[in-house]
Amino acid sequence: MKMNVYVKKRVAVVGAGLTLFRRRMLETPQELAWIAAKRALDQAGLELKDIDCVVSGSAPDAFDGVHLKGEYYSEGAGAIGKPHLRVYVGGGTGVFVPIAAWWHVASGLCRRVLVVAEEKMSSAADPHPQAVFRHIWDPITEKPLNPNLIWIFALEMHRYMHKCRVSKEDIALVSVKNKRNALDNPYAQAGANITVEDVLKSELLVYPVNRLDISPVSDGAAALVMVSEEWARRLTDTPIWVEGIGYTLDTSYWTNRELSFPVYLKNAAEMAYKMAGIERPMKEIDVAEPYDPFDYKELHHLEGLGLAPRCGAAEMTREGVTQRDGDLPVCPSGGLLGVGNPIAAAGLMKVAEIFWQLRGEAGKRQVKKDAVTGLAQAWGDLMQVGTVVIMRR
Amino acid sequence: MRDVKPQIREIEMEIKAYHYTPGPLGLRWLEGIKKGIIMAAKCRKCGNIFIPPKIYCPKCFSEVEDLVELREKPYLASYTIIYRDFNGERLSTPVIVGLVRFKGVDGGLIHYIEGPVEKLAIGASLEPVFRSERRGSITDIEHFRLV
Ligand SMILES: [Zn+2]
């Protein structure tokens, strides 16, 4: 397949690092950024002085409670004295950061880029971090109703359940799988051995969403080192190549979308597949980390990515295909449901997990099959952007 | 001209209160201030001494674990005199705000400056004046006095 984007330099990931994901970290946003950045540099075998450019990402300033927080945490992200770009596309940010870093390397502008995502949601203490989304609504038609983000997810989930004949039990299986996977993740906040019944019996928050359908509020940071081909060859025998990137927008009006199917993701995935030369994603993707802030979103996103037939992700999940020892392991990290959801850091954690999986460095989380090609994905803006990264060994 | 009176009023902001954390080393630093001691972080690798303390060295990016007490008197690196308050009201007594630095220490503190006006000059020597009731905050230092 012909590539749809002109690429001057091939881009590889050569190091990754994470902080613990926790509800209330003592470390400042700068310090969280530094912990992840330092670990990624250590794995890459580089020092900060070797880095040409820094690309970072973080969700609303209103979480950490510091306006221009990208500038505020930039020192911990290693950006002082270097070209620095902070990107922000809502929940999609974590996978958009390596996309923006990719531009820097693929264009030939920078050869060694430090890629950092940070989020400290617990600073937004009163009334709660969810209140940060108070003003994301259309001020004329929606705001007067005082909507909550969970309402929208609930409407989407219900529509998906209705159109695809998916049961709450099917959806709960995702939460059970991801939380169990997270038990093997040393950075995870919400690993647990739970049952479908536990999910169904957990508190009903907004029908049909129960408490255990949702990922937790978290603090944390994640980082990568992304380099040009010549540096990748110099630094490691096992670089992981970024072979495809995709990011596209759907309408800002969630009312105007067919909620049962994520078109925002279908388009982004097609962009990435085309670039990576992937024609049959179900056969060619070995391991995937789709965005799972809610359990139904993993199913929804698998379908949007073309990794499951339309309305077919629930059946795949029931049959165990998405387990770590299955044909298409999904969220082997534990996902946002199990590892935690410090927005931007959670998305980048998924890219880090694919990096470790393809290198065979995922320890107890290593998938059974020999994974050569992997995919990470996030979702954000006004619930309208899909961000996709495809990597290959 | 069309009438542009607001049709919909939205007065509540997203978050009413933030809870910030000072970081592991920042916490020890504030505990020191509570005891009436001003400390700085010291990097074992490159020797950089800096305030405010962080768990990493802004100069060499390595981990920092140590705090050292600053025994020498700080000095006034710059100052300004404030005549109106935040809402634009004239202050009955102007307030002096200074950039307080310590010799050999990277960084500094913004703080209130008091003392004999004839001594107010860039480079002037200062000493911290602590409140009697302290809670582990930068405002446990009431001001720096010109000496
Ligand atoms: Zn140092």
Side-chain angles (χ1 to χ4, degrees), chain A residues 26 62 65 75 120 123 126, chain B residues 16 18-21 54 56:
Chain A
L26 177 58
E75 184 188 78
K120 188 152 181 172
S123 300
D126 181 15
Chain B
K16 297 191 183 88
Y18 279 99
H19 293 177
Y20 298 106
T21 59
K54 298 163 193 179
Y56 64 91

Side-chain angles (χ1 to χ4, degrees), chain B:
Chain B
M1 275 238 312
R2 286 189 303 151
D3 182 0
V4 289
K5 261 189 299 188
Q7 301 291 308
I8 293 165
R9 279 172 65 85
E10 171 61 48
I11 52 169
E12 279 210 57
M13 284 309 290
E14 295 98 331
I15 299 295
K16 297 191 183 88
Y18 279 99
H19 293 177
Y20 298 106
T21 59
L25 221 52
L27 188 64
R28 277 167 55 200
W29 184 63
L30 291 175
E31 280 164 358
I33 287 178
K34 193 172 175 183
K35 288 183 210 145
I37 300 165
I38 300 179
M39 295 185 284
K42 184 172 183 183
C43 173
R44 284 183 203 172
K45 192 167 176 207
C46 76
N48 183 22
I49 300 175
F50 62 96
I51 48 174
K54 298 163 193 179
I55 60 168
Y56 64 91
C57 173
K59 265 196 181 152
C60 75
F61 220 54
S62 38
E63 186 171 4
V64 172
E65 293 166 280
D66 304 328
L67 293 175
V68 291
E69 190 178 339
L70 298 173
R71 292 172 193 277
E72 257 190 79
K73 283 188 170 50
Y75 66 95
L76 192 60
S78 186
Y79 67 89
T80 182
I81 304 170
I82 317 294
Y83 294 99
R84 285 179 189 268
D85 70 11
F86 195 73
N87 299 314
E89 300 296 322
R90 194 96 195 157
L91 289 165
S92 52
T93 316
V95 172
I96 306 170
V97 169
L99 170 54
V100 179
R101 281 195 179 141
F102 297 79
K103 247 182 222 158
V105 176
D106 255 28
L109 299 172
I110 302 285
H111 224 297
Y112 302 117
I113 306 297
E114 290 189 14
V117 178
E118 67 275 11
K119 292 200 168 157
L120 182 62
I122 288 179
S125 204
L126 299 167
E127 64 184 14
V129 175
F130 288 90
R131 289 178 202 279
S132 49
E133 296 234 338
R134 301 196 281 266
R135 58 191 186 98
S137 156
I138 191 67
T139 52
D140 287 352
I141 304 169
E142 197 174 281
H143 59 263
F144 284 85
R145 186 170 53 212
L146 293 156
V147 291

Side-chain angles (χ1 to χ4, degrees), chain A residues 11-281:
Chain A
V11 184
V13 181
V14 293
L18 296 178
T19 66
L20 290 176
F21 284 12
R22 289 292 182 271
R23 170 74 196 223
R24 191 154 182 77
M25 294 283 272
L26 177 58
E27 284 78 4
T28 64
Q30 297 171 334
E31 291 173 334
L32 291 173
W34 172 78
I35 292 169
K38 181 78 173 142
R39 286 176 178 169
L41 285 170
D42 286 349
Q43 184 172 21
L46 291 174
E47 288 185 45
L48 184 58
K49 64 174 171 48
D50 304 319
I51 293 295
D52 303 316
C53 304
V54 175
V55 176
S56 75
S58 201
D61 289 351
F63 278 133
D64 298 50
V66 180
H67 274 297
L68 297 175
K69 75 167 160 175
E71 287 68 12
Y72 163 67
Y73 67 57
S74 59
E75 184 188 78
I80 303 306
K82 301 181 194 295
H84 172 233
L85 171 72
R86 172 206 176 180
V87 294
Y88 168 45
V89 292
T93 302
V95 176
F96 197 66
V97 189
I99 289 173
W102 181 92
W103 307 332
H104 282 68
V105 180
S107 65
L109 180 69
C110 315
R111 292 163 302 172
R112 293 161 295 183
V113 177
L114 183 56
V115 186
V116 183
E118 182 276 339
E119 212 76 58
K120 188 152 181 172
M121 297 174 76
S122 64
S123 300
D126 181 15
H128 43 67
Q130 187 62 230
V132 161
F133 302 115
R134 254 190 110 95
H135 298 280
I136 67 171
W137 312 99
D138 185 292
I140 309 301
T141 61
E142 294 171 350
K143 189 67 197 72
L145 302 169
N146 219 7
N148 179 307
L149 208 51
I150 302 179
W151 294 13
I152 307 310
F153 297 134
L155 290 165
E156 189 181 66
M157 177 170 167
H158 197 189
R159 181 96 192 138
Y160 174 66
M161 289 169 69
H162 171 75
K163 285 278 275 194
C164 290
R165 306 262 166 254
V166 171
S167 67
K168 276 281 293 175
E169 284 81 358
D170 285 337
I171 289 173
L173 281 172
V174 174
S175 190
V176 171
K177 167 178 71 73
N178 291 3
K179 284 177 183 294
R180 192 193 300 129
N181 283 351
L183 286 171
D184 294 326
N185 193 324
Y187 303 101
Q189 168 182 5
N193 248 322
I194 58 166
T195 62
V196 166
E197 187 151 42
D198 291 333
V199 179
L200 301 183
K201 284 193 171 161
S202 63
E203 188 193 347
L204 182 62
L205 299 176
V206 179
Y207 176 80
V209 180
N210 293 62
R211 185 168 291 284
L212 288 175
D213 290 314
I214 309 187
S215 57
V217 165
S218 318
D219 300 348
L224 302 177
V225 176
M226 290 170 66
V227 301
S228 62
E229 181 165 10
E230 62 269 31
W231 272 100
R233 304 271 184 217
R234 205 186 293 190
L235 288 168
T236 176
D237 294 331
T238 48
I240 300 301
W241 303 102
V242 178
E243 301 262 295
I245 57 160
Y247 53 105
T248 58
L249 286 187
D250 196 353
T251 168
S252 316
Y253 287 87
W254 60 274
T255 47
N256 298 16
R257 299 200 291 259
E258 173 42 71
L259 295 177
S260 67
F261 182 75
V263 172
Y264 57 82
L265 181 53
K266 181 174 183 283
N267 297 336
E270 278 172 3
M271 175 180 169
Y273 290 142
K274 192 170 180 198
M275 198 170 146
I278 289 175
E279 290 175 345
R280 295 164 305 158

Side-chain angles (χ1 to χ4, degrees), chain A residues 261 265 269 273 278 280-290 298-310 312-313 316 321-322 327-330 373-377 388 390:
Chain A
F261 182 75
L265 181 53
Y273 290 142
I278 289 175
R280 295 164 305 158
M282 272 189 230
K283 289 214 157 55
E284 295 178 60
I285 299 293
D286 299 313
V287 53
E289 281 277 342
E298 176 171 310
L299 305 177
H300 205 233
H301 284 152
L302 283 173
E303 293 169 22
L305 287 163
L307 295 178
R310 199 138 167 186
M316 270 173 64
V321 175
T322 59
D327 281 347
L328 176 64
V330 175
T373 308
L375 178 152
Q377 175 254 324
V388 178
I390 296 169

